[in-house]
């Protein structure tokens, strides 16, 4: 099996793949000791060809691969695409388009929530994929024959899964459902690690605006530091340290050194000085300009029971139409629908509204009812009189 290590060979392979209507793509990477994923291997396949690219080969320029990813005449097929696209966006500054994610398509076609690649391949083709090489060291060279076989299987079997799902979607008139789902995956905002938004990754363990301000400043500093050093966030400081910094708000080296979550001697480091500057910046914010604490959504009386009913309805609709429940609506969607008939959520728009949203509103108004018949729960249409009685 030939592994591409030279730019000219990569360019030739990508030119051949560009003659296809679609190309299946996967990557192997490491991330345990870095902030950004370390790309090690790229796998690509067309209808009658497949290639493995050693992304770590000395002198290899990946630009031909990026050119293929931005070629809008070729559909790029991934399974669980988010991490692969994150790598491509970080290294190449682009998001592959048009895009088809077989995991998303499988959820729309009734294969359950977040089906794994090997399970999907088995259900579609009957082939069993050896996943024992999944967590091997993809940065070590030379790659073993077993690793190469595993890598190739990740794109060759994907062709069959793609063709099956594409036909299934067309048969059920659901192709546009998957296209709607690609919006998040193809949004640049999905892959930007904005330091100013880093605090949103943390649990909100603050009670005062000033504590939130400290959390935001320190989290932003940590995010920038982790990106610049290309190390995991926890290698800079751990989450628990940010929570304690927000609560204690140290402004001197001595106060910083007394914190339980700060390692001994850390207060004398350059990072300690940067943390103290971040805390001081937060404390210098005028009271009137401090960030407001996010308010928890106050659920109206009785809405918890409504959410429970909507969950049952969602399960019924999901099973009846062979669509994964979480593709139709999230728990957050259900809570908002329970509280507001005009909730601005995905479940109340487009095909989701037709499939679930309208019936959800009818259930709230008593125009339909849930009943247990023949050992299963069903949805029953209500007469206007019954609906009025239910409302009363």
């Amino acid at each position: 099996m030939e592994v591409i290590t030279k730019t000219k060979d990569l360019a030739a392979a990508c030119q051949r793949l560009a003659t296809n209507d679609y190309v299946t793509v996967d990557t192997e990477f490491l991330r345990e000791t870095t902030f950004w994923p370390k790309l090690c291997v790229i796998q690509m396949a067309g209808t009658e060809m497949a290639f493995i690219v050693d992304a770590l080969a000395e002198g290899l320029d990946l630009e031909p691969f990026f050119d293929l990813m931005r070629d809008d005449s070729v559909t790029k097929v991934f399974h669980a695409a988010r991490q692969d696209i994150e790598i491509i966006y970080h290294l190449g500054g682009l998001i592959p388009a048009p895009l088809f994610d077989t995991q998303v398509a499988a959820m729309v076609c009734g294969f359950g929530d977040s089906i794994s690649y090997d399970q999907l391949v088995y259900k579609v083709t009957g082939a069993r994929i050896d996943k024992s090489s999944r967590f091997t060291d993809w940065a070590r060279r030379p790659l073993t024959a077993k690793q190469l076989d595993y890598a190739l299987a990740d794109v060759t079997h994907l062709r069959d899964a793609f063709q099956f799902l594409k036909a299934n979607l067309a048969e059920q008139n659901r192709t546009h459902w998957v296209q709607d789902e690609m919006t998040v995956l193809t949004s640049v905002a999905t892959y930007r690690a904005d330091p100013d938004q880093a605090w949103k990754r943390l649990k909100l363990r603050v009670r005062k605006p000033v504590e939130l301000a400290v959390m935001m400043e320190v989290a932003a500093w940590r995010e920038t530091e982790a990106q610049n050093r290309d190390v995991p966030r926890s290698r800079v400081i751990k989450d628990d340290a940010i929570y304690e910094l927000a609560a204690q708000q140290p402004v001197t080296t001595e106060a910083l050194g007394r914190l339980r979550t700060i390692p001994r001697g850390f207060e004398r480091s350059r990072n300690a000085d940067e943390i103290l500057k971040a805390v001081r910046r937060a404390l210098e914010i005028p009271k009137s300009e401090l960030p407001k604490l996010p308010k928890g959504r106050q659920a109206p009386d009785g809405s918890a029971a409504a959410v429970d009913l909507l969950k049952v309805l969602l399960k019924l609709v999901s099973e009846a139409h062979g669509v994964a429940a979480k593709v139709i609506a999230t728990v957050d969607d259900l809570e908002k629908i329970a509280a507001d008939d005009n909730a601005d959520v995905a479940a109340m728009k487009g095909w989701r509204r037709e499939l679930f949203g309208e019936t959800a509103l009818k259930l709230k108004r008593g125009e339909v009812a849930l009943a247990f018949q023949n050992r299963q729960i069903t949805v029953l249409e209500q007469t206007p009189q019954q609906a009025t009685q239910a409302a009363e």
Side-chain angles (χ1 to χ4, degrees):
M1 186 184 303
E2 182 179 357
V3 179
I4 293 175
T5 59
K6 299 184 182 301
T7 304
K8 64 179 181 63
D9 295 330
L10 176 60
C14 290
Q15 286 175 359
R16 291 181 62 191
L17 288 169
T19 64
N20 289 253
D21 293 333
Y22 72 90
V23 56
T24 56
V25 189
D26 190 34
T27 64
E28 307 300 338
F29 58 90
L30 300 176
R31 199 171 194 168
E32 288 80 3
T33 61
T34 61
F35 182 90
W36 306 107
K38 180 181 180 180
L39 179 60
C40 300
V41 176
I42 302 170
Q43 308 98 283
M44 303 178 289
T47 53
E48 296 181 355
M49 63 196 83
F51 303 97
I52 293 179
V53 182
D54 182 357
L56 298 180
E58 185 176 356
L60 179 67
D61 186 350
L62 293 178
E63 193 57 32
F65 169 70
F66 297 137
D67 285 340
L68 178 62
M69 291 298 98
R70 63 170 64 95
D71 185 344
D72 59 12
S73 69
V74 182
T75 298
K76 290 78 181 178
V77 181
F78 295 82
H79 184 85
R82 187 178 293 242
Q83 291 191 88
D84 300 305
I85 296 176
E86 180 187 7
I87 293 170
I88 294 169
Y89 177 74
H90 173 61
L91 295 178
L94 67 114
I95 294 177
L99 180 70
F100 188 99
D101 188 323
T102 53
Q103 187 177 71
V104 173
M107 288 192 284
V108 171
C109 290
F111 285 86
D113 291 346
S114 305
I115 187 171
S116 66
Y117 174 67
D118 56 317
Q119 290 174 332
L120 176 61
V121 168
Y122 177 70
K123 289 186 176 182
V124 170
T125 70
R128 293 193 179 277
I129 297 176
D130 180 4
K131 302 293 286 185
S132 60
S133 295
R134 180 179 180 184
F135 296 110
T136 57
D137 185 355
W138 289 98
R140 180 174 293 181
R141 296 295 182 269
L143 295 166
T144 67
K146 192 173 182 180
Q147 284 178 307
L148 294 176
D149 287 340
Y150 166 86
L152 203 62
D154 270 357
V155 287
T156 53
H157 291 295
L158 189 56
R159 296 179 296 201
D160 297 323
F162 167 62
Q163 294 290 3
F164 174 86
L165 292 169
K166 182 181 177 183
N168 192 296
L169 290 167
E171 182 180 342
Q172 299 184 67
N173 194 28
R174 295 181 179 181
T175 301
H176 64 287
W177 293 13
V178 173
Q179 291 171 345
D180 289 347
E181 288 301 298
M182 293 302 103
T183 302
V184 174
L185 284 175
T186 55
S187 170
V188 170
T190 302
Y191 308 100
R192 279 182 178 161
D194 183 356
D196 289 338
Q197 302 300 315
W199 66 276
K200 294 181 179 179
R201 301 177 59 91
L202 300 166
K203 296 177 182 177
L204 202 60
R205 297 179 180 176
V206 294
R207 297 182 178 180
K208 302 176 182 178
V210 67
E211 294 176 357
L212 178 57
V214 173
M215 174 185 283
M216 294 170 71
E217 287 287 348
V218 176
W221 167 79
R222 181 180 71 167
E223 191 78 2
T224 301
E225 186 73 10
Q227 290 182 27
N228 290 342
R229 289 167 50 190
D230 194 18
V231 297
R233 297 176 182 89
S234 61
R235 292 284 185 91
V236 181
I237 57 170
K238 298 186 181 301
D239 290 355
D240 285 346
I242 296 181
Y243 301 142
E244 189 175 15
L245 286 162
Q248 300 300 325
Q249 301 156 32
V251 293
T252 65
T253 300
E254 294 74 18
L256 182 64
R258 288 194 293 269
L259 298 187
R260 177 181 55 83
T261 55
I262 297 298
R264 182 174 299 179
F266 179 89
E267 69 274 13
R268 295 187 295 274
S269 67
R270 179 188 65 82
N271 281 350
D273 185 52
E274 294 299 321
I275 288 174
L276 291 174
K277 288 179 181 178
V279 173
R280 293 186 191 113
R281 283 197 300 272
L283 297 180
E284 291 170 359
I285 298 174
K287 187 175 181 179
S288 61
E289 298 177 15
L290 285 170
K292 297 185 182 301
L293 291 172
K295 292 183 179 180
R297 192 166 58 250
Q298 190 68 33
D301 292 342
S303 65
V307 171
D308 289 339
L309 283 176
L310 291 174
K311 287 180 179 178
V312 175
L313 177 64
L314 178 60
K315 186 173 187 297
L316 289 175
V317 171
S318 170
E319 293 176 350
H321 294 275
V323 183
K326 76 175 187 179
V327 175
I328 301 172
T330 65
V331 173
D332 186 60
D333 287 347
L334 299 184
E335 291 175 350
K336 290 178 179 178
I337 293 170
D340 182 3
D341 286 2
N342 298 310
D344 183 18
V345 295
M348 297 301 295
K349 300 174 183 177
W351 65 266
R352 293 178 179 83
R353 186 180 183 107
E354 296 177 14
L355 202 69
F356 170 77
E358 287 294 345
T359 307
L361 295 180
K362 288 181 180 180
L363 181 62
K364 283 184 62 181
R365 294 193 294 260
E367 295 172 10
V368 299
L370 300 178
F372 186 72
Q373 295 181 336
N374 300 322
R375 298 184 178 182
Q376 61 182 5
I377 297 175
T378 58
V379 179
L380 298 179
E381 292 287 339
Q382 297 275 71
T383 66
Q385 182 179 3
Q386 288 172 322
T388 300
Q389 290 174 345
E392 293 174 351

